[in-house]
Amino acid sequence: MDSPVPPLPTGPGPRRRDRHGRGMRGPVAPPQVPLSTSRAAAFGDLVQDSVERLERRWPQLAEVDFLVLDVPPAGRGGGGDDSDAWAAESVPLGGMIAATSAHPARIVIYRRPVEIRTKSRDERAMFVHEIIVEQVAELLGLSPESVDPRYGDEQD
Protein backbone atom coordinates (compact mmCIF):
# COMPACT_ATOMS: atom_id res chain seq x y z
CA MET A 1 0.00 0.00 0.00
CA ASP A 2 1.41 3.43 -0.96
CA SER A 3 1.58 6.09 1.74
CA PRO A 4 0.64 9.71 0.75
CA VAL A 5 3.23 11.07 3.22
CA PRO A 6 6.78 11.18 1.83
CA PRO A 7 9.51 9.72 4.07
CA LEU A 8 11.64 12.13 6.12
CA PRO A 9 15.18 12.70 4.90
CA THR A 10 17.68 10.85 7.06
CA GLY A 11 20.88 12.50 5.83
CA PRO A 12 22.75 15.39 7.45
CA GLY A 13 21.26 18.81 6.95
CA PRO A 14 19.67 21.71 8.78
CA ARG A 15 16.91 20.76 11.11
CA ARG A 16 14.19 23.31 11.62
CA ARG A 17 12.19 23.90 14.74
CA ASP A 18 9.37 25.75 12.99
CA ARG A 19 7.07 22.75 13.28
CA HIS A 20 3.74 24.52 13.20
CA GLY A 21 4.46 27.32 10.72
CA ARG A 22 4.50 30.09 13.32
CA GLY A 23 7.92 31.46 12.41
CA MET A 24 10.79 32.41 14.65
CA ARG A 25 10.14 33.47 18.22
CA GLY A 26 10.34 37.10 19.21
CA PRO A 27 12.74 38.71 21.67
CA VAL A 28 12.83 37.41 25.22
CA ALA A 29 12.35 40.85 26.78
CA PRO A 30 11.07 44.19 25.47
CA PRO A 31 13.74 46.82 24.69
CA GLN A 32 13.01 49.03 27.72
CA VAL A 33 13.77 46.23 30.21
CA PRO A 34 17.38 46.07 31.54
CA LEU A 35 17.58 42.40 30.55
CA SER A 36 17.66 43.40 26.89
CA THR A 37 20.59 45.78 27.40
CA SER A 38 23.92 44.32 26.30
CA ARG A 39 26.91 44.27 28.64
CA ALA A 40 28.73 46.74 26.41
CA ALA A 41 25.79 49.18 26.50
CA ALA A 42 25.45 48.85 30.27
CA PHE A 43 29.20 49.52 30.65
CA GLY A 44 28.91 52.54 28.35
CA ASP A 45 26.13 53.87 30.59
CA LEU A 46 28.40 53.54 33.65
CA VAL A 47 31.13 55.51 31.87
CA GLN A 48 28.64 58.17 30.76
CA ASP A 49 27.27 58.56 34.30
CA SER A 50 30.77 59.02 35.68
CA VAL A 51 31.71 61.54 32.98
CA GLU A 52 28.55 63.58 33.56
CA ARG A 53 29.30 63.65 37.28
CA LEU A 54 32.81 64.98 36.64
CA GLU A 55 31.71 67.47 33.95
CA ARG A 56 29.56 69.29 36.52
CA ARG A 57 32.73 70.06 38.46
CA TRP A 58 35.15 70.35 35.50
CA PRO A 59 33.38 72.00 32.50
CA GLN A 60 36.53 71.73 30.35
CA LEU A 61 35.94 67.96 30.17
CA ALA A 62 33.20 68.64 27.60
CA GLU A 63 36.01 68.95 25.03
CA VAL A 64 37.48 65.53 25.92
CA ASP A 65 36.42 62.38 24.07
CA PHE A 66 35.66 59.42 26.32
CA LEU A 67 35.92 56.07 24.54
CA VAL A 68 35.12 52.51 25.58
CA LEU A 69 37.08 49.72 23.93
CA ASP A 70 36.64 46.03 24.65
CA VAL A 71 40.31 45.23 25.21
CA PRO A 72 43.63 47.08 25.02
CA PRO A 73 45.41 46.84 21.68
CA ALA A 74 47.89 43.99 21.39
CA GLY A 75 51.56 44.64 20.74
CA ARG A 76 51.78 48.08 22.28
CA GLY A 77 55.51 47.63 22.75
CA GLY A 78 56.27 46.58 19.19
CA GLY A 79 56.34 43.31 17.33
CA GLY A 80 58.15 40.10 18.07
CA ASP A 81 57.80 37.30 20.55
CA ASP A 82 58.65 38.88 23.89
CA SER A 83 57.30 36.32 26.34
CA ASP A 84 59.25 37.94 29.21
CA ALA A 85 57.67 41.31 28.41
CA TRP A 86 54.21 39.71 28.43
CA ALA A 87 54.82 38.13 31.83
CA ALA A 88 56.00 41.38 33.42
CA GLU A 89 53.38 43.59 31.80
CA SER A 90 50.06 44.32 33.52
CA VAL A 91 46.84 44.77 31.61
CA PRO A 92 45.81 48.44 31.44
CA LEU A 93 42.32 49.39 32.56
CA GLY A 94 42.32 52.75 30.85
CA GLY A 95 44.50 55.25 29.10
CA MET A 96 44.84 58.89 28.18
CA ILE A 97 45.82 60.31 24.80
CA ALA A 98 46.86 63.97 24.83
CA ALA A 99 45.23 66.44 22.46
CA THR A 100 46.84 67.19 19.12
CA SER A 101 45.91 69.53 16.31
CA ALA A 102 44.10 66.63 14.60
CA HIS A 103 41.93 65.45 17.52
CA PRO A 104 40.95 66.45 21.07
CA ALA A 105 42.24 64.71 24.17
CA ARG A 106 40.89 61.19 24.61
CA ILE A 107 40.36 59.02 27.64
CA VAL A 108 39.92 55.32 26.91
CA ILE A 109 38.40 52.74 29.26
CA TYR A 110 38.89 49.04 28.49
CA ARG A 111 35.68 47.16 29.24
CA ARG A 112 36.73 43.49 29.52
CA PRO A 113 39.63 43.96 31.99
CA VAL A 114 37.34 46.03 34.23
CA GLU A 115 34.50 43.50 34.03
CA ILE A 116 36.84 40.65 34.90
CA ARG A 117 38.04 42.43 38.05
CA THR A 118 34.57 43.28 39.39
CA LYS A 119 31.70 41.12 40.61
CA SER A 120 28.66 43.38 40.88
CA ARG A 121 27.26 46.36 39.02
CA ASP A 122 27.85 48.67 42.00
CA GLU A 123 31.46 47.55 42.33
CA ARG A 124 31.92 48.02 38.58
CA ALA A 125 30.44 51.54 38.69
CA MET A 126 32.78 52.52 41.51
CA PHE A 127 35.81 51.00 39.74
CA VAL A 128 34.96 52.72 36.43
CA HIS A 129 34.63 56.05 38.22
CA GLU A 130 38.02 55.61 39.92
CA ILE A 131 39.68 54.80 36.58
CA ILE A 132 38.12 57.84 34.91
CA VAL A 133 39.12 60.10 37.83
CA GLU A 134 42.72 58.84 37.58
CA GLN A 135 42.84 59.47 33.83
CA VAL A 136 41.27 62.93 34.15
CA ALA A 137 43.77 63.77 36.91
CA GLU A 138 46.62 62.74 34.61
CA LEU A 139 45.15 64.83 31.79
CA LEU A 140 44.71 67.93 33.97
CA GLY A 141 47.98 67.45 35.86
CA LEU A 142 46.25 67.24 39.23
CA SER A 143 45.94 64.67 41.98
CA PRO A 144 42.90 62.34 41.81
CA GLU A 145 41.70 63.68 45.19
CA SER A 146 41.49 67.22 43.78
CA VAL A 147 39.56 66.02 40.70
CA ASP A 148 36.99 64.21 42.86
CA PRO A 149 37.10 64.69 46.64
CA ARG A 150 35.35 61.34 47.12
CA TYR A 151 38.09 59.47 45.19
CA GLY A 152 39.07 56.33 47.04
CA ASP A 153 36.00 56.31 49.29
CA GLU A 154 34.29 52.94 49.62
CA GLN A 155 30.82 54.42 49.15
CA ASP A 156 29.70 56.66 46.30
mmCIF file of all heavy atoms in Angstrom, residues 18-38:
data_model
loop_
_atom_site.group_PDB
_atom_site.id
_atom_site.type_symbol
_atom_site.label_atom_id
_atom_site.label_comp_id
_atom_site.label_asym_id
_atom_site.label_seq_id
_atom_site.Cartn_x
_atom_site.Cartn_y
_atom_site.Cartn_z
ATOM 1 N N ASP A 18 10.620 25.078 13.308
ATOM 2 C CA ASP A 18 9.367 25.749 12.986
ATOM 3 C C ASP A 18 8.340 24.686 12.599
ATOM 4 O O ASP A 18 7.926 24.576 11.460
ATOM 5 C CB ASP A 18 9.613 26.745 11.852
ATOM 6 C CG ASP A 18 8.400 27.584 11.548
ATOM 7 O OD1 ASP A 18 7.469 27.593 12.363
ATOM 8 O OD2 ASP A 18 8.390 28.224 10.490
ATOM 9 N N ARG A 19 7.908 23.908 13.567
ATOM 10 C CA ARG A 19 7.067 22.750 13.281
ATOM 11 C C ARG A 19 5.639 23.112 12.900
ATOM 12 O O ARG A 19 4.990 22.394 12.171
ATOM 13 C CB ARG A 19 7.029 21.834 14.500
ATOM 14 C CG ARG A 19 8.338 21.179 14.762
ATOM 15 C CD ARG A 19 8.191 20.227 15.911
ATOM 16 N NE ARG A 19 9.477 19.598 16.157
ATOM 17 C CZ ARG A 19 9.746 18.904 17.229
ATOM 18 N NH1 ARG A 19 8.833 18.751 18.158
ATOM 19 N NH2 ARG A 19 10.927 18.350 17.393
ATOM 20 N N HIS A 20 5.147 24.210 13.418
ATOM 21 C CA HIS A 20 3.736 24.525 13.200
ATOM 22 C C HIS A 20 3.539 25.754 12.322
ATOM 23 O O HIS A 20 2.447 26.304 12.276
ATOM 24 C CB HIS A 20 3.033 24.715 14.544
ATOM 25 C CG HIS A 20 3.115 23.500 15.415
ATOM 26 N ND1 HIS A 20 2.378 22.356 15.168
ATOM 27 C CD2 HIS A 20 3.874 23.228 16.499
ATOM 28 C CE1 HIS A 20 2.680 21.445 16.082
ATOM 29 N NE2 HIS A 20 3.588 21.952 16.898
ATOM 30 N N GLY A 21 4.582 26.202 11.652
ATOM 31 C CA GLY A 21 4.461 27.318 10.723
ATOM 32 C C GLY A 21 4.264 28.665 11.374
ATOM 33 O O GLY A 21 3.754 29.594 10.758
ATOM 34 N N ARG A 22 4.693 28.821 12.613
ATOM 35 C CA ARG A 22 4.500 30.086 13.323
ATOM 36 C C ARG A 22 5.679 31.039 13.168
ATOM 37 O O ARG A 22 5.627 32.157 13.622
ATOM 38 C CB ARG A 22 4.267 29.812 14.809
ATOM 39 C CG ARG A 22 2.995 29.071 15.064
ATOM 40 C CD ARG A 22 2.744 28.963 16.554
ATOM 41 N NE ARG A 22 1.631 28.064 16.775
ATOM 42 C CZ ARG A 22 1.683 26.981 17.522
ATOM 43 N NH1 ARG A 22 2.806 26.668 18.132
ATOM 44 N NH2 ARG A 22 0.645 26.222 17.668
ATOM 45 N N GLY A 23 6.766 30.600 12.590
ATOM 46 C CA GLY A 23 7.922 31.464 12.406
ATOM 47 C C GLY A 23 8.818 31.484 13.623
ATOM 48 O O GLY A 23 8.599 30.770 14.605
ATOM 49 N N MET A 24 9.825 32.311 13.559
ATOM 50 C CA MET A 24 10.786 32.415 14.654
ATOM 51 C C MET A 24 10.156 33.136 15.842
ATOM 52 O O MET A 24 9.269 33.969 15.683
ATOM 53 C CB MET A 24 12.031 33.178 14.204
ATOM 54 C CG MET A 24 12.817 32.467 13.122
ATOM 55 S SD MET A 24 13.471 30.889 13.655
ATOM 56 C CE MET A 24 14.646 31.422 14.856
ATOM 57 N N ARG A 25 10.627 32.815 17.021
ATOM 58 C CA ARG A 25 10.141 33.475 18.220
ATOM 59 C C ARG A 25 10.652 34.900 18.293
ATOM 60 O O ARG A 25 11.692 35.233 17.747
ATOM 61 C CB ARG A 25 10.602 32.718 19.455
ATOM 62 C CG ARG A 25 9.976 31.374 19.577
ATOM 63 C CD ARG A 25 10.429 30.740 20.843
ATOM 64 N NE ARG A 25 9.781 29.455 21.005
ATOM 65 C CZ ARG A 25 9.627 28.849 22.150
ATOM 66 N NH1 ARG A 25 10.086 29.414 23.247
ATOM 67 N NH2 ARG A 25 9.037 27.690 22.222
ATOM 68 N N GLY A 26 9.955 35.713 19.035
ATOM 69 C CA GLY A 26 10.338 37.101 19.212
ATOM 70 C C GLY A 26 11.392 37.255 20.288
ATOM 71 O O GLY A 26 11.888 36.274 20.856
ATOM 72 N N PRO A 27 11.742 38.486 20.630
ATOM 73 C CA PRO A 27 12.744 38.715 21.672
ATOM 74 C C PRO A 27 12.236 38.238 23.033
ATOM 75 O O PRO A 27 11.034 38.214 23.289
ATOM 76 C CB PRO A 27 12.953 40.223 21.664
ATOM 77 C CG PRO A 27 11.765 40.781 20.984
ATOM 78 C CD PRO A 27 11.232 39.723 20.052
ATOM 79 N N VAL A 28 13.176 37.905 23.894
ATOM 80 C CA VAL A 28 12.831 37.409 25.218
ATOM 81 C C VAL A 28 12.261 38.527 26.088
ATOM 82 O O VAL A 28 11.341 38.308 26.865
ATOM 83 C CB VAL A 28 14.075 36.782 25.892
ATOM 84 C CG1 VAL A 28 13.777 36.379 27.318
ATOM 85 C CG2 VAL A 28 14.543 35.592 25.088
ATOM 86 N N ALA A 29 12.800 39.715 25.953
ATOM 87 C CA ALA A 29 12.354 40.845 26.775
ATOM 88 C C ALA A 29 12.164 42.070 25.893
ATOM 89 O O ALA A 29 12.857 42.232 24.893
ATOM 90 C CB ALA A 29 13.393 41.141 27.854
ATOM 91 N N PRO A 30 11.236 42.958 26.243
ATOM 92 C CA PRO A 30 11.072 44.192 25.474
ATOM 93 C C PRO A 30 12.296 45.095 25.632
ATOM 94 O O PRO A 30 13.052 44.967 26.601
ATOM 95 C CB PRO A 30 9.825 44.836 26.079
ATOM 96 C CG PRO A 30 9.601 44.163 27.380
ATOM 97 C CD PRO A 30 10.270 42.824 27.319
ATOM 98 N N PRO A 31 12.513 46.006 24.675
ATOM 99 C CA PRO A 31 13.744 46.820 24.689
ATOM 100 C C PRO A 31 13.931 47.711 25.906
ATOM 101 O O PRO A 31 15.043 48.054 26.248
ATOM 102 C CB PRO A 31 13.642 47.673 23.423
ATOM 103 C CG PRO A 31 12.438 47.239 22.706
ATOM 104 C CD PRO A 31 11.685 46.260 23.531
ATOM 105 N N GLN A 32 12.867 48.124 26.586
ATOM 106 C CA GLN A 32 13.010 49.030 27.724
ATOM 107 C C GLN A 32 13.381 48.328 29.024
ATOM 108 O O GLN A 32 13.646 48.971 30.019
ATOM 109 C CB GLN A 32 11.739 49.867 27.923
ATOM 110 C CG GLN A 32 10.508 49.067 28.238
ATOM 111 C CD GLN A 32 9.747 48.612 26.998
ATOM 112 O OE1 GLN A 32 10.301 48.560 25.916
ATOM 113 N NE2 GLN A 32 8.494 48.271 27.172
ATOM 114 N N VAL A 33 13.434 47.007 29.020
ATOM 115 C CA VAL A 33 13.773 46.234 30.209
ATOM 116 C C VAL A 33 15.296 46.055 30.273
ATOM 117 O O VAL A 33 15.921 45.776 29.252
ATOM 118 C CB VAL A 33 13.056 44.859 30.174
ATOM 119 C CG1 VAL A 33 13.452 44.004 31.343
ATOM 120 C CG2 VAL A 33 11.563 45.057 30.116
ATOM 121 N N PRO A 34 15.918 46.199 31.445
ATOM 122 C CA PRO A 34 17.378 46.073 31.539
ATOM 123 C C PRO A 34 17.926 44.741 31.031
ATOM 124 O O PRO A 34 19.060 44.661 30.622
ATOM 125 C CB PRO A 34 17.655 46.227 33.038
ATOM 126 C CG PRO A 34 16.505 46.979 33.561
ATOM 127 C CD PRO A 34 15.328 46.589 32.717
ATOM 128 N N LEU A 35 17.117 43.696 31.036
ATOM 129 C CA LEU A 35 17.578 42.400 30.549
ATOM 130 C C LEU A 35 18.000 42.462 29.094
ATOM 131 O O LEU A 35 18.927 41.780 28.678
ATOM 132 C CB LEU A 35 16.459 41.361 30.730
ATOM 133 C CG LEU A 35 16.710 39.971 30.169
ATOM 134 C CD1 LEU A 35 17.836 39.309 30.959
ATOM 135 C CD2 LEU A 35 15.461 39.136 30.239
ATOM 136 N N SER A 36 17.347 43.325 28.314
ATOM 137 C CA SER A 36 17.655 43.395 26.893
ATOM 138 C C SER A 36 18.874 44.264 26.591
ATOM 139 O O SER A 36 19.332 44.312 25.461
ATOM 140 C CB SER A 36 16.446 43.919 26.118
ATOM 141 O OG SER A 36 16.199 45.263 26.461
ATOM 142 N N THR A 37 19.413 44.943 27.585
ATOM 143 C CA THR A 37 20.594 45.783 27.401
ATOM 144 C C THR A 37 21.844 44.898 27.382
ATOM 145 O O THR A 37 22.035 44.069 28.255
ATOM 146 C CB THR A 37 20.711 46.807 28.540
ATOM 147 O OG1 THR A 37 19.501 47.539 28.631
ATOM 148 C CG2 THR A 37 21.854 47.763 28.303
ATOM 149 N N SER A 38 22.688 45.115 26.385
ATOM 150 C CA SER A 38 23.920 44.322 26.298
ATOM 151 C C SER A 38 24.904 44.762 27.383
ATOM 152 O O SER A 38 24.787 45.851 27.953
ATOM 153 C CB SER A 38 24.552 44.487 24.917
ATOM 154 O OG SER A 38 25.051 45.794 24.766
#
